[in-house]
Amino acid sequence: MKKLFIQSYGCAMNFSDSEIVASILSKEGYIITNTIEESDLILINTCSIREKAEETIRHRLRNINIIKKNKPSLIIGILGCMAERLKDKLLKEEKIVDIVAGPDSYRDLPKLICKVLEKNEKSVNTILSLEETYDNIEPVRLNSNGITAFISIMRGCDNMCSFCVVPFTRGRERSRDPLSIVKEAKNLYSKGYREITLLGQNVDSYKWSKETNNKKKLEKSTEIKDVIVFSDLLEMVANINSDLRIRFSTSHPKDITNDVLKVIKNHENVCNYIHLPAQSGNSRILKKMNRTYDRNWYLDKINNIKKIVGNECGISSDFITGFCSETEEEHHDTLSLMDNVIYDYSYMYYYSERPGTLAQRKYEDDISLEIKKRRLSEIIKKQNKHSLNRNKLTIDKTYKVLVDGISKKSSDYNKGKTSENKLIVFPKKQNIMGTYVDVRVKDCNSATLFGEIC
Ligand code: SF4
């Protein structure tokens, strides 16, 4: 049996793709190993969102080179966004790499491996597709706790945010057949999974139609609407079983609808949490980022969430500080937006110029690293204060928690998540993994709630 070691970096889409790759190669006789030294094939699924992400991969390859020296027959492949961005240039820059495969070419991996094995030639496939959704491939769950899983519902992104490489590395948007998504979710539920996260670069622009997918003649039993948008899909999945929790990521302020918010409100098993990246609090910078909304539009969406879903709805964001030409005053607009929303948490970075993006081609990266880092530390400081305040509001309240593991800090404690996506730890109890328990919050810090099972 040939052994495959697969390592993923970056976003949840990449981790989900690695499960597709594992499935494709398991049909070629590969079994997964978590011991890199015993592998015959190493695949690294890469991220390209910031310079640092690519440096991490190059560093990893230097480590792998030591293993390759002891095992010359070992095959090494680079997958994902860095593969797509650099294409065969990567083979020149990183000599130990044998295969370069982009996010839409994973069905071709068996052939690419064959070429290396039989012809001793390096192989590349970085063709992006307008159709590929891998919807008929059942993922092989990797490092799974058997309780929570990702389901990718669409691929690519049509938004051209000026700082972002994703549209170049993952191609145009295409939505997956809703019935294949429901089937995968039902399958996971039957195997004991109790939480799924629907994944897409921008789930709100999910749109599937019988017309464009030549599915006019669907059997009577599976009658579905001619056009399925995200709120429809969310409802279809929510109706599978009220014991199956549903999360989704990532939303986009330009097209999140009130219909989606109403589905959250009307279905207890659709989690009370939305990740809504703002990126900046200043309208001039948002325009320069080509985010297609301004500060007021964004705040309207936040107000809709609080009005329709409620003030307890967990809300998180992404922020980029120090974007091209950002003034101190505009930086303060981001800080004041955070004061207005009071996020539960955020992913925060300073601007990292990416080759080939609109921003790199048109704007000067003119904010010094020192100022970028200082602004980032101000945003992080504010977010930590807000996260703590939001968590303090939960003290003495009881939450329905899905138990999904053991606390990292102590094996005497179980851990789980509330519907609001808050991490909570509580004294361990036998045989509760994968079940729902009511937990009363006793204390908290900015990242974790501490409670007791009621
Ligand atoms: S929405 Fe913007 S930031 Fe997000 S993946 Fe698409 S282009 Fe990138």
Side-chain angles (χ1 to χ4, degrees):
M1 292 296 274
K2 295 169 284 184
K3 294 196 172 154
L4 163 63
F5 178 89
I6 189 162
Q7 187 165 20
S8 311
Y9 291 82
C11 67
M13 272 317 269
N14 257 7
F15 285 79
S16 171
D17 281 357
S18 294
E19 297 182 334
I20 300 272
V21 168
S23 179
I24 291 167
L25 294 178
S26 67
K27 296 199 177 48
E28 303 296 315
Y30 280 93
I31 53 169
I32 300 291
T33 175
N34 288 326
T35 314
I36 194 168
E37 288 76 14
E38 65 180 38
S39 61
D40 304 292
L41 171 63
I42 297 176
L43 295 177
I44 309 291
N45 199 348
T46 63
C47 171
S48 197
I49 205 79
R50 266 171 286 284
E51 187 56 31
K52 182 127 185 6
E54 293 194 357
E55 281 163 16
T56 305
I57 302 300
R58 294 187 193 275
H59 184 71
R60 185 72 177 115
L61 286 171
R62 284 193 280 285
N63 302 350
I64 291 172
N65 195 17
I66 301 161
I67 303 169
K68 174 105 176 178
K69 283 207 175 93
N70 301 333
K71 193 173 183 177
S73 63
L74 181 61
I75 298 175
I76 295 162
I78 298 292
L79 313 181
C81 293
M82 189 178 172
E84 188 63 45
R85 191 179 79 74
L86 293 169
K87 304 184 186 334
D88 43 7
K89 201 168 140 226
L90 198 51
L91 294 176
K92 298 187 189 85
E93 294 174 358
E94 302 290 344
K95 301 286 184 236
I96 66 164
V97 174
D98 305 296
I99 296 171
V100 174
D104 288 347
S105 66
Y106 298 149
R107 287 182 199 271
D108 198 30
L109 276 169
K111 274 207 220 95
L112 298 175
I113 295 166
C114 248
K115 195 175 167 195
V116 177
L117 281 173
E118 289 164 13
K119 299 187 184 144
N120 195 20
E121 282 175 25
K122 304 215 178 220
S123 50
V124 178
N125 182 343
T126 53
I127 300 166
L128 287 172
S129 160
L130 292 175
E131 278 97 36
E132 183 61 86
T133 63
Y134 302 114
D135 64 359
N136 62 345
I137 295 179
E138 192 190 337
V140 168
R141 306 293 162 179
L142 299 170
N143 310 319
S144 171
N145 58 11
I147 299 164
T148 60
F150 293 131
I151 298 184
S152 81
I153 63 168
M154 61 188 296
R155 301 182 70 78
C157 186
D158 289 352
N159 300 317
M160 292 300 282
C161 301
S162 61
F163 53 81
C164 187
V165 288
V166 172
F168 307 98
T169 59
R170 284 190 166 270
R172 297 283 66 73
E173 270 169 22
R174 60 229 103 121
S175 298
R176 196 178 144 190
D177 177 337
L179 296 176
S180 75
I181 297 167
V182 170
K183 184 169 163 236
E184 188 176 335
K186 280 183 178 164
N187 200 350
L188 285 166
Y189 183 77
S190 68
K191 289 182 181 157
Y193 287 81
R194 288 294 173 269
E195 181 182 289
I196 56 169
T197 301
L198 304 177
L199 286 181
Q201 313 297 154
N202 173 15
V203 292
D204 295 299
S205 47
Y206 175 91
K207 190 173 184 184
W208 182 90
S209 79
K210 283 179 193 167
E211 187 82 29
T212 47
N213 289 280
N214 315 323
K215 292 270 176 110
K216 280 226 177 73
K217 296 260 167 309
L218 272 174
E219 301 88 38
K220 200 94 212 80
S221 62
T222 57
E223 198 55 42
I224 57 173
K225 289 200 294 188
D226 288 352
V227 177
I228 300 286
V229 294
F230 185 55
S231 54
D232 301 322
L233 176 70
L234 198 52
E235 190 127 46
M236 287 166 74
V237 178
N239 288 334
I240 291 171
N241 191 300
S242 59
D243 241 7
L244 181 64
R245 250 185 190 177
I246 320 293
R247 297 187 187 280
F248 56 87
S249 187
T250 296
S251 293
H252 195 294
K254 89 174 194 325
D255 47 14
I256 186 168
T257 64
N258 288 354
D259 290 342
V260 167
L261 304 181
K262 287 173 190 152
V263 174
I264 298 175
K265 184 71 186 164
N266 300 335
H267 292 264
E268 193 262 343
N269 62 327
V270 178
C271 290
N272 216 12
Y273 162 70
I274 295 173
H275 179 57
L276 196 67
Q279 304 296 3
S280 170
N282 174 268
S283 295
R284 187 186 75 86
I285 291 295
L286 287 169
K287 189 159 178 39
K288 212 170 171 102
M289 286 177 165
N290 197 27
R291 289 290 287 171
T292 67
Y293 57 84
D294 64 13
R295 180 188 171 95
N296 292 338
W297 172 281
Y298 183 86
L299 286 171
D300 280 352
K301 295 292 177 179
I302 294 289
N303 293 338
N304 290 346
I305 293 172
K306 293 186 176 183
K307 219 171 21 203
I308 298 172
V309 184
N311 280 325
E312 264 219 276
C313 182
I315 306 177
S316 59
S317 180
D318 294 347
F319 286 105
I320 294 176
T321 67
F323 187 65
C324 314
S325 78
E326 182 190 63
T327 65
E328 206 53 38
E329 201 189 336
E330 290 165 341
H331 165 57
H332 281 276
D333 285 344
T334 297
L335 293 169
S336 68
L337 182 99
M338 295 173 80
D339 286 331
N340 188 310
V341 179
I342 310 286
Y343 293 99
D344 292 84
Y345 61 90
S346 294
Y347 301 92
M348 300 160 281
Y349 310 93
Y350 58 76
Y351 173 57
S352 166
E353 186 181 73
R354 303 308 292 129
T357 58
L358 196 68
Q360 185 254 340
R361 285 180 275 131
K362 283 181 71 179
Y363 310 133
E364 195 198 339
D365 183 8
D366 55 359
I367 307 297
S368 72
L369 187 58
E370 189 205 345
I371 291 176
K372 282 180 180 178
K373 285 184 173 172
R374 192 259 302 156
R375 288 179 184 172
L376 180 60
S377 66
E378 288 172 6
I379 284 188
I380 291 172
K381 191 163 161 248
K382 184 174 284 292
Q383 183 57 62
N384 287 342
K385 196 179 89 197
H386 289 167
S387 298
L388 180 59
N389 293 345
R390 288 284 292 174
N391 282 354
K392 279 186 178 160
L393 297 174
T394 69
I395 293 179
D396 289 334
K397 289 185 181 167
T398 298
Y399 292 86
K400 183 179 174 183
V401 170
L402 175 60
V403 185
D404 64 14
I406 302 292
S407 160
K408 277 203 192 97
K409 294 229 170 90
S410 161
S411 58
D412 298 332
Y413 287 77
N414 275 121
K415 72 173 182 73
K417 287 259 180 94
T418 68
S419 177
E420 293 73 19
N421 209 32
K422 289 185 184 297
L423 172 64
I424 184 162
V425 297
F426 42 93
K428 199 161 79 178
K429 211 171 164 194
Q430 293 310 321
N431 310 323
I432 57 169
M433 285 290 275
T435 67
Y436 294 97
V437 292
D438 289 332
V439 182
R440 188 176 178 76
V441 180
K442 297 290 192 184
D443 197 357
C444 68
N445 60 30
S446 62
T448 310
L449 310 182
F450 306 99
E452 256 169 21
I453 295 178
C454 301

